[in-house]
């Protein structure tokens, strides 16, 4: 079939953002000529969370959960092909590890990005509008393109505690871009807020002197202990297509309770990081430097004053504590907020508590023309569960979207489940054609 669009700036599908989510979509679309696609990112080139790319950080997911393998294991954009092309297949096998270093995985994705002709970097999409011929993507210098369908993959936004907002600046900041800052903590008191993987990694780097030798580092977490990532076999079944479909069919209150209950499945600390951190803290104690570090689990940040003075409340005994900090690093996670480029369409979107309602076909619920589909990736945690913000199902998610756009099951997205979940999985997600050539361009 010939491409559905003919003009230079008219596409079947336009992607906003080129992180791993939309990169997977672009990689799986490579070679499917019926879908004329273009993807836009504001960065000058592909980069994966450069502000948190610590040299020793490792992936929390297997290399098999790459951009394509789960639905297309012979695809040339697989991690295995990257290894072979770089002459590392045998050394990689000798390591016998499924989780590679974060830097290596980032390099793999950069390699894929360099091979894809559909990616446009240095293009900040300010607004997605609905025009007469479909969606219009607008940037600073005017219209970037027109597209029949759009897939928004702009990532999640740093979550910042309200009380810290007035103090945000060079000495109080979210960890997201910590490696891109000019930072020196030599001789200073540092407080790290947040007991997830990023909090643990930042603490480790601080104690190892990456930004100079601090006078003291305190690590406060609302969680009642510094808790490990749950990677046990049945927890891994939460990251399967069947579970995503089950989750979507549940009432909102049940979904919210499950997200809380399953927090450690996606947001706990890798065992290797916990062990490394424990070793460093133990060594400090064993060598008479215990006062350098203070571990504060079960502490909730309640207020912040100039100076900085932080008010914490202990969740175990209700006691109030005050901490002094010269530098505050917020490792307080990421939120699914309405992507800024969709704000102009917000009245047409179904929003629940400010979150997009995303279906198991990854289409956003909206009142626009049915033949123009608005997809969102890594934006539907509240609709689809914890797997949404991970790489685990990225390839399956992309395949599901491509099937929707093509209106036929190009990829097999069905998989058997070992677990009979209480609500039956909904079956194939591919429904009526999302867009036929006849319909394309209708207002
Ligand atoms: C440090 C870190 C490590 C992680 N490790 C793992 C892991 O090991 N395993 C796992 O499963 N998950 C992991 N995750 C979770 C998740 O997989 C990643 O956050 C992943 O990057 C999400 O990909 P994304 O494409 O949805 O978003 P992002 O990676 O955030 O990419 C979004 C892209 O959109 C661009 N953009 C945003 N707005 C616009 C706009 N208006 N116009 C143009 N471009 C725009 C940005 O420049 C960016 O390139 C990790 C997360 C972090 C923060």
């Amino acid at each position: 079939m010939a491409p559905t669009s003919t003009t230079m700036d008219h596409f079947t599908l336009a992607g906003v953002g080129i992180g791993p989510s939309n990169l997977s979509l672009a990689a799986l679309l490579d070679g499917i000529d019926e879908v004329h696609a273009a993807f836009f990112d504001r960065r000058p080139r592909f980069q994966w969370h450069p502000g948190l790319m610590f040299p020793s950080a490792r992936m929390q997911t297997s290399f098999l959960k790459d951009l394509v393998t789960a639905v297309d294991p012979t695809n040339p954009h697989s991690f295995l092909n990257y290894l072979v092309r770089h002459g590392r297949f045998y050394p990689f096998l000798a390591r016998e590890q499924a989780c590679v270093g974060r830097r290596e995985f980032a390099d793999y994705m950069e390699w894929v990005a360099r091979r894809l002709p559909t990616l446009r970097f240095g293009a900040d999409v300010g607004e997605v509008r609905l025009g007469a011929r479909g969606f219009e993507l607008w940037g600073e210098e005017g219209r970037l393109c027109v597209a029949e369908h759009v897939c928004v993959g702009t990532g999640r936004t740093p979550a910042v505690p309200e009380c810290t907002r007035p103090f945000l600046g060079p000495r109080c900041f979210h960890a997201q871009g910590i490696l891109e800052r000019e930072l020196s903590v030599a001789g200073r008191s540092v407080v790290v807020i947040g007991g997830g993987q990023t909090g643990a990694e930042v603490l480790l780097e601080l104690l190892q002197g990456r930004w100079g030798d601090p006078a003291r580092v305190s690590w406060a977490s609302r969680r009642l202990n510094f808790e490990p990532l749950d990677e046990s076999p049945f927890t891994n079944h939460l990251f399967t297509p069947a579970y995503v479909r089950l989750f979507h069919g549940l009432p909102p209150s049940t979904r919210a309770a499950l997200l809380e209950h399953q927090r450690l499945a996606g947001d706990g600390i890798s065992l290797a990081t916990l062990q490394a951190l424990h070793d460093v803290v133990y060594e400090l104690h064993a060598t008479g430097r215990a006062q350098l570090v203070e571990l504060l689990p079960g502490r909730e940040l309640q207020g912040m004053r100039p100076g900085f003075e932080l008010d914490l409340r202990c969740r175990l005994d209700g006691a109030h504590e005050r901490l002094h900090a010269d530098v505050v690093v917020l490792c307080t996670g990421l939120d699914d907020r309405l992507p800024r480029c969709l704000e102009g369409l917000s009245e047409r979107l179904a929003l629940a508590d400010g979150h997009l309602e995303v279906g198991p076909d990854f289409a956003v619920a909206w009142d626009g023309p049915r033949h123009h589909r608005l997809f969102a990736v890594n934006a539907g945690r509240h609709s689809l569960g914890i797997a949404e913000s991970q790489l685990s199902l990225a390839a399956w998610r992309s395949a599901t979207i491509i099937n929707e756009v093509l209106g036929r099951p190009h990829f097999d997205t069905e998989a058997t489940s070992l677990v009979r979940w209480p609500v039956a999985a909904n079956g194939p997600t591919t429904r009526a054609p999302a867009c036929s050539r006849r319909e394309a361009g209708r207002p």
Side-chain angles (χ1 to χ4, degrees), residues 383-397:
S383 308
L384 302 168
I386 50 169
E388 242 313 74
S389 49
Q390 303 285 321
L391 297 173
S392 300
L393 290 179
W396 170 76
R397 178 172 62 193

Side-chain angles (χ1 to χ4, degrees), residues 16-23 40-43 45-49 52-53 58-61 65 102 109 121 123-126 153-156 176 197-198 201 334 340-341 377-378 388-392 397:
V16 186
I18 311 172
S21 301
N22 265 345
L23 186 63
F40 300 85
D41 198 289
R42 58 164 68 121
R43 292 186 199 275
R45 61 185 173 88
F46 181 87
Q47 281 182 298
W48 187 43
H49 293 308
L52 284 170
M53 205 45 72
R58 300 193 72 74
M59 296 296 292
Q60 291 192 319
T61 36
K65 293 179 169 180
R102 205 182 280 157
M109 291 193 284
F121 290 97
D124 195 334
V125 179
T154 47
R156 301 170 80 214
Q176 182 79 340
Q197 179 70 22
T198 300
E201 287 178 10
L334 302 167
R340 188 118 34 96
C341 60
V377 284
N378 189 11
E388 242 313 74
S389 49
Q390 303 285 321
L391 297 173
S392 300
R397 178 172 62 193

Side-chain angles (χ1 to χ4, degrees), residues 19-29 66-68 116 393-399 402:
S21 301
N22 265 345
L23 186 63
S24 161
L25 188 57
L28 284 171
L29 277 171
D66 65 9
L67 301 168
V68 294
L116 296 174
L393 290 179
W396 170 76
R397 178 172 62 193
S398 305
I402 294 170

Side-chain angles (χ1 to χ4, degrees), residues 181-382:
R181 290 177 168 272
E182 286 289 317
L183 181 63
S184 167
V185 298
R188 292 177 159 177
S189 301
V190 186
V191 174
V192 177
I193 304 281
Q197 179 70 22
T198 300
E201 287 178 10
V202 167
L203 188 76
L204 198 51
E205 296 288 333
L206 280 165
L207 293 177
Q208 289 172 340
R210 168 177 286 278
W211 299 285
D213 291 329
R216 185 179 180 79
V217 183
S218 307
W219 188 23
S221 169
R222 191 162 45 185
R223 297 179 194 177
L224 297 175
N225 200 349
F226 300 108
E227 293 167 313
L229 185 71
D230 180 355
E231 298 178 280
S232 54
F234 289 101
T235 296
N236 286 339
H237 280 267
L238 305 180
F239 300 88
T240 57
Y243 193 81
V244 169
R245 291 175 190 149
L246 155 79
F247 191 94
H248 183 257
L250 297 171
S253 58
T254 312
R255 291 187 202 163
L258 280 176
L259 285 181
E260 192 50 42
H261 179 71
Q262 295 163 353
R263 186 172 280 271
L264 291 177
D267 202 18
I269 306 170
S270 300
L271 200 54
T273 310
L274 279 177
Q275 274 162 346
L277 193 51
H278 194 274
D279 279 352
V280 170
V281 174
Y282 180 86
E283 282 300 319
L284 289 174
H285 277 253
T287 53
R289 294 175 294 157
Q291 76 291 346
L292 244 178
V293 60
E294 183 175 44
L295 303 179
L296 303 166
R299 309 310 208 278
E300 203 158 38
L301 178 66
Q302 294 214 308
M304 182 163 173
R305 274 163 296 124
F308 303 117
E309 300 295 330
L310 303 177
D311 295 318
L312 305 177
R313 191 187 76 89
C314 176
R315 292 180 62 213
L316 289 172
D317 61 6
H320 289 270
E321 290 165 84
R322 184 165 298 170
L323 273 186
H324 170 75
D326 300 312
V327 177
V328 177
V329 187
L330 301 167
C331 302
T332 37
L334 302 167
D335 262 350
D336 297 338
R337 283 206 221 113
L338 178 69
R340 188 118 34 96
C341 60
L342 291 184
E343 280 173 4
L345 290 176
S346 63
E347 291 193 351
R348 310 195 67 167
L349 304 172
L351 296 174
D353 244 352
H355 305 294
L356 288 171
E357 281 283 350
V358 184
D361 52 3
F362 301 96
V364 172
W366 78 313
D367 72 357
R370 286 171 59 92
H371 54 280
H372 292 307
R373 309 288 299 274
L374 179 59
F375 298 98
V377 284
N378 189 11
R381 210 164 173 270
H382 293 80

